[in-house]
Amino acid sequence: MAPPAASQRYPSPSQPSGKSEVSDLKTQLRQLAGSRAPGVDDSKRDLYKKVISYMTIGIDVSSVFGEMVMCSATSDIVLKKMCYLYVGNYAKGNPDLSLLTINFLQRDCKDEDPMIRGLALRSLCSLRVPNLVEYLVGPLGSGLKDNNSYVRTIAVTGVLKLYHISPSTCIDADFPPTLKSLMLHDSDAQVVANCLSALQEIWSLEASHSEEACREKESLLSKPVIYYFLNRIKDFNEWAQCLILELAVKYVPSDSNDIFDIMNLLEDRLQHANGAVVLATVKVFLQLTLSMTDVHQQVYERIKSPLLTLVSSGSPEQSYAILSHLHLLVVRAPFIFAADYKHFYCQYNEPSYVKKLKLEMLTAVANESNTYEIVTELCEYAANVDIAIARESIRAVGKIALQQYDVNAIVDRLLQFLEMEKDYVTAETLVLVKDLLRKYPQWSHDCISVVGSISSKNIQEPKGKAALIWMLGEYAQDMSDAPYILENLIENWEEEHSAEVRLHLLTAAMKCFFKRAPETQKALGIALAAGVADFHQDVHDRALFYYRVLQYDVHVAERVVSPPKQAVSVFADTQSSEIKDRIFDEFNSLSVIYQKPSYMFTDKEHRGPFEFSDELGNISITPEASSDIVPAQQYEANDKDLLLGIDEKDDNKGLSSNNGSAYSAPSLENSSNITSQMQELAISGPATSATTPQSSFGFDDLLGLGLSTAPAPTPTPPLLKLNPRAALDPGAFQQKWRQLPLSLTQECSVNPQGIAALTVPQSLIRHMQSHSIHCIASGGQSPNFKFFFFAQKESEPSNYLAECIINTSSAKAQIKVKADEQSTSQAFTTVFETALSKFGMP
Amino acid sequence: MLQCIFLLSDSGEVMLEKQLTGHRVDRSICAWFWDQSLSQGDSFKSLPVIASPTHYLFQIVRDGITFLACSQVEMPPLMAIEFLCRVADVLSDYLGGVNEDLIKDNFIIVYELLDEMIDNGFPLTTEPSILREMIAPPNLVSKMLSVVTGNASNVSDTLPSGAGSCVPWRPTDPKYSSNEVYVDLVEEMDAIVNRDGELVKCEIYGEVQMNSQLTGFPDLTLSFANPSILEDMRFHPCVRFRPWESHQVLSFVPPDGEFKLMSYRVKKLKNTPVYVKPQITSDLGTCRVSVLVGIRSDPGKAIESITLSFQLPHCVSSADLSSNHGTVTILSNKTCTWTIGRIPKDKTPCLSGTLALETGLERLHVFPTFKLGFKIMGIALSGLRIEKLDLQTLPPRLYKGFRAQTRAGEFDVRL
């Protein structure tokens, strides 16, 4: 598809062609305004249609506002609708002219046709001009009492719109109590549903500063109200049912009978044709039974078939949303879908985002009973025309192999992939074989014989090449020509573009050297020389390090580079179970789709369901803005490197254990430590920014420079300036929290206003953010709240991490601080305490 | 809560914008979205839910038209997607399809519909029969309607009585001179045949579609002769749950006009009506292809419009394929379609020929998947049979009609 012409995408109001036509329209409308001639409605219709089509394309036609209003005296309903549409679109920008429309809208609100009454009321409320709110109260009041339900429905939503324009007007006019009585007594289901949605929104926003609203909000969750809705849920339309089900999720049942009553009332909702209703019901079931383990299991059985139905009968977009949720469920209870794996077989025509999720499902449901069938199916995808899916399915086979006990057959399959001689298949397979060998060293003989026969020339992809090289180094004693293959590769050092591959070559040459020194010596020499001369910093550093270690003592070098390996029993899971639980709590929300709890993607701010940020909505996005989402992708890329990361850690461990005792000469100790520091730097490539300050500090210390980089503790702590836009991803946070030593523990009291404001964790989080201290995770319920915060220095990427436990009953806060720069942690603690002490103050 | 809905043409042009709340969404989000989906390559492949720097975007694509909804707040994603699907369904129902021209010609109608379907970001009514009462369908459809119903005006000025009725899907009191009710069983066969010719999966997805034009407030009961074969049922909101639970009887007050009463699935079928036997052997840079298609088990009715289509692998440089029955077309995107029609009595249709591989390739390693299409009128392959359709109170001059058809859904034959 061709990229659209710029004029279409960025319509500018000052388009010359638009301008003359708009003024044409203006004169024509003016002529028609007062006319009562027959047929005038038809010509008006044409003109209105033109105006609105300009509006639709994006041409600014606000200049004909006056004329449009003048022409609006008509009885034709289509004309009226067009006029309402136009007025609704431009009123906000023309508050003065909008006054003109009030008159005719108010008149229409008293029309005898209920449809016109309703439409006029809707438009009146959609004007959203703050200085016109006084005109809204009257029509809304009578609209709520209208004898036609259509008008009442619109009036209820109108009240909510009024609240958003001017909360005080809405509250002063006593609308919320009116809505409440409508909600409980109106005969029309849609009116009731709209009342519920409006009241939920108004009361949750009011709750922060009005105790009454808080009570009212709670009362929506009381048993009689919940049952009032659930008993008549069938009378509501499907969307209103979703609303009620969302309300029911928040209800805390009094006993198990209560739980069963609700489930009985809702059971048939699982069969509803609307997927949104089904999923909302599933959430109610799951949340209700969380505390009852055996019933919870039965719920899984019960919801299984409705969900599977939704996967296969809806549009691909619907399947995608459902599959994301199924994936969440299957991770919690893999056995439930074990027999239904065929539902996740990919059909040829499905879009790849659905296929990808289905592959993940197949991986997750695989167990002893179905592995054979699933792997057979996955192997068929490996020959698929869609290369991305072929890759994914090979990876899926590998994942299944890593989580199974009986991998015999799977290893054979994987080795068969190698015989397909497709570049990408071979590359993916090599990576998997490498991981398998690390977990099941007993398979090495079978694999090595096949891997040894692969010509390295056929592999272009860095990942695959690196895996092959790793195996050559690790199993050099079993592969007769390993040194010669490595030698070949090293001779082509210049042509190797990927630094990752060159790093692996260096290590593999070292390992090979320890096992078969005579054959490798020459190649190792060339590799080290080429490595030291390499322009890539990491490669250069590693080569230099190897060179010096070898120079020092070959046996030490062997212990450092090639220590005996232990089989990896479990590969690190990328998501902690805590995070998975958080996502599960947020079932039926975006969190599930993104596979992240909401605090990780809701823009650092924990947004309630009804809060918008206006600045964000109004700024226009330029293409550069898309760089905002890059960090997340990087994070993912890092995860993929996880396996390699572990590999490197082995090397590291050997290194540190040698540090203390083996050396005696002070000069040597220094230099070896320096290189080890450098090595660390090289290894922790992705997290360089985080470790730099720390290690350079150690570096200086060793050189006897003492506190040169660390500024002397500043006498005036508030001088510490924090970066208001600090960013740290949760993974890095966790890592740092583990690594850094505890630098300070402090207990302080929280003022009573603060305690009062701390009904939910979000309030404190927002407060701290205004002091440039950001929350990364929070939890707990009254009286105990727990928060993890982080902050960054304004000028340099130096992080402060803090854990804060607040007990609201004792009004005490316990703070634990860890910092990259130990010396300034006191300053940070002071800032933190000052910020905390202001919490709750007006 | 949705804040804004955009309709984009297949070139990324904003055809329609409907702001739903006081928080305006700037149109530039569409440009961002379009750049994003262009960078993804095929827009069909881009995810239905993505996060832009300012909003969460939900999108569905129908016939090249992108329905894009924006939200800044947390909401159930499936609800947004379902709603967009309904919007698409209603529009194509109203306009007789969705494409750029239809939407641009009828944008007033689209605005009117959106106005009734969603208010303040929360979906109101999406039931087509109710919407049709509030807003008259345009053009041909309305002309036909006016002929059928005898209602000359195409501007509806009556109020949606259904919105206030206690049965939200039915207008209060429709009147027909002749009372008609039609039941269609429409089934699709989804199957996967693997490389060894085994039937890995064979299922029927079926829908009971009805067209009811009945006076007053009819109460219908539909029963099947063999309801036990049904699985994974989903019902229209009008179906009462208890009678189905206890005796597998569908008891309901139908909406007016056409609607989908229920959908179901019949699993673990043992046989397909048609077999496909593909064979590819490759050597020295050329592949020999031969595909046989024939009837495996005669369903008793004619199997029509049999087609077989597949994507030639990228490494195929040229193809020479011919058949002894039907026509073979190869498009420039390497899609090959073999239109067979009915299977002749005297011979077995066979597609044969050679594929030349790109130079340097000896053998073929990427294999195509064959997609089979067919249609059988007058039979439901699942074996589901309707026993009877009863009305509680019989209106005068009642006509009941039943039909069935089966077609291939996702029928993959892998090689």
Side-chain angles (χ1 to χ4, degrees):
Chain A
M1 60 200 86
S7 65
Q8 286 168 332
R9 279 170 54 203
Y10 306 107
S12 93
S14 57
Q15 268 175 341
S17 63
K19 207 165 193 179
S20 68
E21 281 170 40
V22 170
S23 60
D24 263 9
L25 278 176
K26 198 168 178 156
T27 25
Q28 285 177 341
L29 277 170
R30 197 167 282 166
Q31 281 161 4
L32 286 178
S35 165
R36 297 230 178 274
V40 72
D41 274 354
D42 285 338
S43 24
K44 270 190 195 169
R45 260 196 203 194
D46 287 341
L47 283 176
Y48 269 37
K49 219 173 156 175
K50 249 184 217 159
V51 171
I52 290 177
S53 75
Y54 284 148
M55 188 177 96
T56 306
I57 312 169
I59 297 176
D60 185 9
V61 279
S62 58
S63 55
V64 296
F65 199 96
E67 286 74 15
M68 287 290 279
V69 176
M70 279 194 272
C71 284
S72 59
T74 171
S75 55
D76 186 303
I77 192 160
V78 178
L79 261 183
K80 270 190 195 298
K81 280 186 182 173
M82 287 198 264
C83 191
Y84 295 153
L85 181 68
Y86 175 87
V87 168
N89 218 2
Y90 287 114
K92 210 174 179 182
N94 300 285
D96 303 336
L97 285 169
S98 302
L99 196 58
L100 294 172
T101 61
I102 294 287
N103 191 17
F104 88 88
L105 283 174
Q106 273 186 327
R107 202 173 52 236
D108 283 351
C109 283
K110 297 191 182 100
D111 199 281
E112 48 187 58
D113 183 348
M115 189 136 184
I116 293 184
R117 285 206 300 273
L119 287 171
L121 190 57
R122 181 182 289 161
S123 322
L124 194 60
C125 299
S126 305
L127 293 180
R128 299 196 168 93
V129 181
N131 56 3
L132 298 182
V133 283
E134 54 195 289
Y135 300 101
L136 285 182
V137 179
L140 273 178
S142 44
L144 289 174
K145 291 191 205 83
D146 202 290
N147 57 11
N148 190 294
S149 58
Y150 179 75
V151 184
R152 289 201 303 275
T153 316
I154 290 172
V156 173
T157 316
V159 169
L160 182 58
K161 291 176 185 166
L162 170 66
Y163 178 80
H164 280 301
I165 309 166
S166 163
S168 56
T169 321
C170 180
I171 304 291
D172 292 346
D174 249 2
F175 279 135
T178 322
L179 291 193
K180 190 179 179 186
S181 83
L182 266 181
M183 178 178 82
L184 297 176
H185 305 295
D186 201 285
S187 59
D188 184 84
Q190 190 64 52
V191 176
V192 175
N194 282 10
C195 286
L196 173 63
S197 105
L199 285 177
Q200 271 188 310
E201 198 163 332
I202 292 176
W203 280 335
S204 6
L205 290 174
E206 281 293 297
S208 57
H209 52 262
S210 150
E211 267 182 44
E212 197 200 334
C214 210
R215 264 202 313 280
E216 292 286 9
K217 193 181 142 203
E218 298 291 310
S219 78
L220 279 180
L221 294 172
S222 66
K223 193 168 175 174
V225 177
I226 293 282
Y227 275 84
Y228 164 76
F229 282 119
L230 291 183
N231 279 323
R232 47 184 300 201
I233 192 164
K234 289 180 193 110
D235 300 343
F236 293 92
N237 76 26
E238 45 208 321
W239 311 108
Q241 291 186 10
C242 296
L243 191 71
I244 294 169
L245 290 166
E246 269 173 58
L247 183 74
V249 168
K250 297 186 200 125
Y251 171 65
V252 185
S254 51
D255 54 27
S256 59
N257 283 338
D258 207 5
I259 294 177
F260 289 121
D261 283 349
I262 294 179
M263 298 214 299
N264 279 332
L265 279 173
L266 293 180
E267 195 179 1
D268 53 347
R269 295 301 100 195
L270 289 172
Q271 232 87 39
H272 200 280
N274 186 320
V277 175
V278 178
L279 214 53
T281 314
V282 167
K283 175 159 190 181
V284 175
F285 276 40
L286 288 174
Q287 294 290 341
L288 280 179
T289 56
L290 263 182
S291 55
M292 312 157 80
T293 321
D294 46 336
V295 186
H296 197 63
Q297 294 305 333
Q298 287 170 19
V299 165
Y300 279 125
E301 284 298 324
R302 181 66 189 83
I303 61 180
K304 185 175 84 177
S305 105
L307 287 175
L308 289 176
T309 314
L310 284 175
V311 172
S312 35
S313 52
S315 68
E317 291 91 352
Q318 286 159 314
S319 311
Y320 170 77
I322 303 274
L323 278 169
S324 308
H325 285 86
L326 279 182
H327 188 250
L328 183 68
L329 294 179
V330 84
V331 172
R332 288 177 71 90
F335 54 88
I336 52 164
F337 294 113
D340 301 278
Y341 57 92
K342 281 190 184 174
H343 276 274
F344 309 117
Y345 281 8
C346 300
Q347 301 273 181
Y348 182 73
N349 269 1
E350 280 162 344
S352 42
Y353 54 79
V354 170
K355 283 188 187 159
K356 224 178 139 208
L357 275 176
K358 283 192 164 180
L359 289 177
E360 278 177 32
M361 286 299 289
L362 282 174
T363 324
V365 299
N367 64 10
E368 280 91 347
S369 64
N370 56 24
T371 300
Y372 178 77
E373 281 83 4
I374 291 180
V375 172
T376 311
E377 178 76 10
L378 287 172
C379 289
E380 300 217 334
Y381 305 149
N384 201 303
V385 182
D386 186 344
I387 291 176
I389 291 303
R391 282 174 185 274
E392 286 289 339
S393 45
I394 295 170
R395 270 177 229 157
V397 173
K399 270 188 216 154
I400 293 177
L402 287 178
Q403 73 196 22
Q404 294 293 311
Y405 298 101
D406 177 32
V407 286
N408 201 340
I410 304 181
V411 172
D412 286 348
R413 298 289 179 96
L414 277 178
L415 296 180
Q416 275 170 22
F417 285 149
L418 291 178
E419 288 161 14
M420 280 175 61
E421 292 172 25
K422 283 299 280 184
D423 178 29
Y424 57 88
V425 175
T426 313
E428 290 292 343
T429 312
L430 280 175
V431 176
L432 289 176
V433 171
K434 183 200 75 181
D435 291 344
L436 269 181
L437 284 179
R438 292 179 55 208
K439 188 168 177 186
Y440 309 104
Q442 66 269 30
W443 290 106
S444 59
H445 280 283
D446 296 21
C447 298
I448 292 311
S449 59
V450 182
V451 170
S453 65
I454 295 173
S455 160
S456 56
K457 289 192 190 71
N458 291 347
I459 312 161
Q460 298 305 322
E461 289 179 33
K463 284 245 180 261
K465 218 168 182 174
L468 178 65
I469 293 170
W470 183 87
M471 283 187 274
L472 286 172
E474 198 62 35
Y475 296 95
Q477 75 276 25
D478 303 324
M479 287 196 252
S480 53
D481 39 358
Y484 308 106
I485 301 176
L486 283 175
E487 195 175 332
N488 263 335
L489 287 165
I490 288 167
E491 275 168 10
N492 295 325
W493 185 276
E494 294 299 317
E495 287 150 41
E496 190 50 67
H497 298 293
S498 156
E500 189 192 351
V501 175
R502 295 201 300 270
L503 283 173
H504 272 270
L505 258 180
L506 276 175
T507 314
M510 286 287 277
K511 285 177 184 167
C512 193
F513 173 73
F514 298 128
K515 284 158 193 152
R516 300 165 68 174
E519 293 160 283
T520 328
Q521 198 176 9
K522 187 175 146 225
L524 180 63
I526 302 172
L528 286 178
V532 171
D534 203 279
F535 63 91
H536 194 277
Q537 195 65 50
D538 291 352
V539 180
H540 169 80
D541 289 355
R542 191 180 286 188
L544 206 60
F545 165 66
Y546 283 162
Y547 177 66
R548 290 183 180 164
V549 172
L550 281 173
Q551 232 181 1
Y552 171 69
D553 183 346
V554 175
H555 297 288
V556 171
E558 183 170 4
R559 269 191 291 158
V560 170
V561 179
S562 187
K565 292 250 188 311
Q566 277 189 344
V568 184
S569 56
V570 180
F571 284 97
D573 204 344
T574 45
Q575 272 183 342
S576 73
S577 61
E578 194 187 341
I579 287 179
K580 282 176 186 158
D581 284 350
R582 276 295 277 269
I583 302 178
F584 184 71
D585 288 342
E586 292 169 13
F587 193 84
N588 200 17
S589 75
L590 293 167
S591 316
V592 182
I593 301 270
Y594 298 141
Q595 300 189 1
K596 282 180 197 148
S598 55
Y599 68 81
M600 289 194 186
F601 61 86
T602 38
D603 205 24
K604 283 189 237 143
E605 202 177 312
H606 293 239
R607 290 212 189 87
F610 305 121
E611 283 169 64
F612 299 91
S613 74
D614 241 344
E615 330 77 77
L616 271 178
N618 286 338
I619 58 162
S620 57
I621 311 160
T622 51
E624 298 93 82
S626 56
S627 63
D628 284 15
I629 41 177
V630 171
Q633 287 163 351
Q634 273 174 356
Y635 181 40
E636 254 185 39
N638 287 349
D639 275 346
K640 296 213 176 92
D641 282 333
L642 207 64
L643 293 183
L644 280 175
I646 292 168
D647 176 20
E648 307 296 3
K649 263 180 213 143
D650 282 352
D651 296 358
N652 232 348
K653 220 184 284 160
L655 188 77
S656 55
S657 65
N658 287 329
N659 254 353
S661 56
Y663 312 113
S664 50
S667 64
L668 233 173
E669 188 179 343
N670 263 355
S671 70
S672 78
N673 264 320
I674 290 167
T675 36
S676 83
Q677 296 280 4
M678 289 163 81
Q679 165 77 349
E680 238 175 59
L681 274 176
I683 292 168
S684 56
T688 319
S689 67
T691 42
T692 309
Q694 193 196 2
S695 38
S696 68
F697 177 43
F699 192 96
D700 288 330
D701 205 19
L702 282 166
L703 294 176
L705 296 174
L707 291 163
S708 64
T709 46
T714 34
T716 44
L719 276 184
L720 182 76
K721 278 258 196 302
L722 295 174
N723 178 5
R725 305 187 56 83
L728 189 67
D729 67 55
F733 183 93
Q734 270 189 347
Q735 204 184 351
K736 276 181 172 298
W737 189 257
R738 273 202 307 269
Q739 284 171 350
L740 292 172
L742 190 66
S743 47
L744 258 176
T745 314
Q746 192 103 8
E747 212 176 85
C748 64
S749 51
V750 183
N751 63 43
Q753 290 96 321
I755 295 297
L758 191 69
T759 47
V760 285
Q762 276 73 7
S763 49
L764 177 65
I765 290 163
R766 243 173 263 135
H767 169 79
M768 295 306 275
Q769 198 171 351
S770 63
H771 290 83
S772 306
I773 298 169
H774 306 273
C775 178
I776 196 132
S778 68
Q781 270 177 342
S782 193
N784 278 309
F785 290 96
K786 187 171 180 178
F787 301 88
F788 283 100
F789 291 102
F790 72 94
Q792 250 166 29
K793 257 191 173 178
E794 173 110 73
S795 44
E796 46 188 309
S798 168
N799 292 300
Y800 300 98
L801 316 179
E803 181 196 75
C804 175
I805 299 172
I806 298 183
N807 186 308
T808 48
S809 54
S810 65
K812 285 266 189 284
Q814 200 185 39
I815 307 161
K816 284 182 190 163
V817 176
K818 299 188 178 186
D820 282 344
E821 258 175 273
Q822 303 291 343
S823 52
T824 51
S825 56
Q826 180 59 49
F828 170 72
T829 313
T830 319
V831 173
F832 191 93
E833 273 180 48
T834 323
L836 192 62
S837 66
K838 285 185 191 144
F839 178 52
M841 298 288 188
Chain B
M1 184 194 312
L2 299 175
Q3 280 167 269
C4 189
I5 294 177
F6 294 103
L7 265 59
L8 307 183
S9 75
D10 52 7
S11 59
E13 179 194 354
V14 182
M15 296 191 294
L16 207 118
E17 163 186 343
K18 174 86 184 151
Q19 301 283 347
L20 302 170
T21 65
H23 302 266
R24 287 189 73 85
V25 183
D26 195 275
R27 222 173 235 231
S28 57
I29 191 107
C30 295
W32 179 89
F33 167 78
W34 199 251
D35 288 342
Q36 198 71 7
S37 58
L38 280 184
S39 68
Q40 296 283 319
D42 195 349
S43 69
F44 185 59
K45 283 183 184 153
S46 59
L47 293 175
V49 185
I50 52 177
S52 82
T54 53
H55 292 80
Y56 305 114
L57 304 180
F58 305 89
Q59 58 136 343
I60 64 163
V61 182
R62 289 286 178 279
D63 300 323
I65 306 293
T66 306
F67 294 76
L68 183 72
C70 316
S71 172
Q72 264 179 342
V73 292
E74 180 73 87
M75 70 174 294
L78 188 61
M79 187 162 152
I81 292 173
E82 278 273 1
F83 177 72
L84 289 179
C85 289
R86 297 302 172 87
V87 172
D89 291 348
V90 167
L91 287 190
S92 76
D93 182 40
Y94 259 75
L95 311 178
V98 280
N99 61 44
E100 196 174 341
D101 292 341
L102 278 173
I103 288 178
K104 282 187 174 167
D105 290 348
N106 297 294
F107 64 91
I108 298 285
I109 296 271
V110 181
Y111 275 127
E112 284 183 63
L113 282 171
L114 284 175
D115 216 24
E116 296 299 341
M117 287 172 84
I118 186 164
D119 193 8
N120 207 33
F122 198 82
L124 287 175
T125 178
T126 46
E127 196 59 53
S129 60
I130 304 229
L131 287 169
R132 213 171 283 135
E133 265 191 84
M134 290 197 244
I135 300 146
N139 308 337
L140 233 148
V141 189
S142 69
K143 272 179 207 149
M144 265 164 51
L145 262 185
S146 63
V147 172
V148 174
T149 59
N151 182 0
S153 153
N154 80 331
V155 177
S156 157
D157 50 8
T158 53
L159 199 89
S161 41
S165 122
C166 63
V167 188
W169 55 85
R170 190 174 173 83
T172 2
D173 201 12
K175 286 196 170 50
Y176 293 98
S177 49
S178 74
N179 288 285
E180 294 168 9
V181 54
Y182 300 95
V183 185
D184 282 357
L185 287 183
V186 181
E187 300 198 333
E188 282 184 8
M189 177 172 259
D190 296 338
I192 298 175
V193 179
N194 76 2
R195 225 174 279 164
D196 308 325
E198 278 171 51
L199 194 59
V200 179
K201 175 178 147 182
C202 183
E203 294 182 355
I204 293 270
Y205 169 77
E207 288 182 357
V208 180
Q209 295 176 353
M210 289 191 70
N211 188 355
S212 126
Q213 289 170 352
L214 298 169
T215 307
F217 202 72
D219 202 327
L220 275 65
T221 327
L222 179 71
S223 52
F224 299 106
N226 47 352
S228 57
I229 61 167
L230 301 179
E231 282 182 76
D232 299 352
M233 288 75 63
R234 288 215 282 165
F235 300 114
H236 188 276
C238 69
V239 176
R240 299 186 185 97
F241 191 59
R242 298 291 162 209
W244 176 263
E245 278 291 90
S246 49
H247 331 83
Q248 276 84 52
V249 173
L250 292 167
S251 159
F252 56 98
V253 176
D256 205 33
E258 289 180 20
F259 66 99
K260 184 171 95 183
L261 182 65
M262 72 177 285
S263 69
Y264 58 86
R265 208 162 260 279
V266 178
K267 292 177 192 164
K268 303 215 171 74
L269 292 170
K270 294 276 176 287
N271 230 337
T272 58
V274 179
Y275 70 79
V276 178
K277 284 185 183 157
Q279 262 189 327
I280 290 190
T281 51
S282 56
D283 195 22
L284 297 173
T286 50
C287 305
R288 292 208 57 78
V289 181
S290 99
V291 187
L292 288 174
V293 175
I295 295 181
R296 171 171 284 145
S297 61
D298 195 345
K301 301 269 182 191
I303 307 176
E304 295 166 48
S305 340
I306 300 178
T307 56
L308 194 69
S309 61
F310 59 99
Q311 183 79 35
L312 292 172
H314 295 291
C315 54
V316 171
S317 60
S318 69
D320 175 24
L321 298 169
S322 61
S323 65
N324 63 353
H325 184 84
T327 52
V328 183
T329 50
I330 300 177
L331 300 179
S332 58
N333 63 0
K334 293 194 174 164
T335 313
C336 176
T337 312
W338 178 23
T339 316
I340 302 170
R342 290 192 189 199
I343 291 187
K345 288 208 168 57
D346 51 338
K347 61 182 173 190
T348 309
C350 175
L351 175 84
S352 56
T354 54
L355 307 177
L357 300 182
E358 278 171 358
T359 44
L361 274 177
E362 289 262 303
R363 290 160 58 200
L364 194 64
H365 291 293
V366 175
F367 300 111
T369 300
F370 296 89
K371 301 207 57 66
L372 181 72
F374 61 79
K375 200 162 86 178
I376 310 171
M377 303 300 290
I379 194 161
L381 270 186
S382 66
L384 183 69
R385 287 192 313 279
I386 292 174
E387 194 172 63
K388 58 179 190 237
L389 174 69
D390 288 333
L391 271 78
Q392 218 167 42
T393 47
L394 274 181
R397 284 194 301 281
L398 175 70
Y399 179 75
K400 296 190 273 191
F402 302 94
R403 278 190 307 190
Q405 63 157 306
T406 305
R407 56 176 182 259
E410 295 286 320
F411 199 122
D412 291 358
V413 180
R414 296 194 193 128
L415 186 76

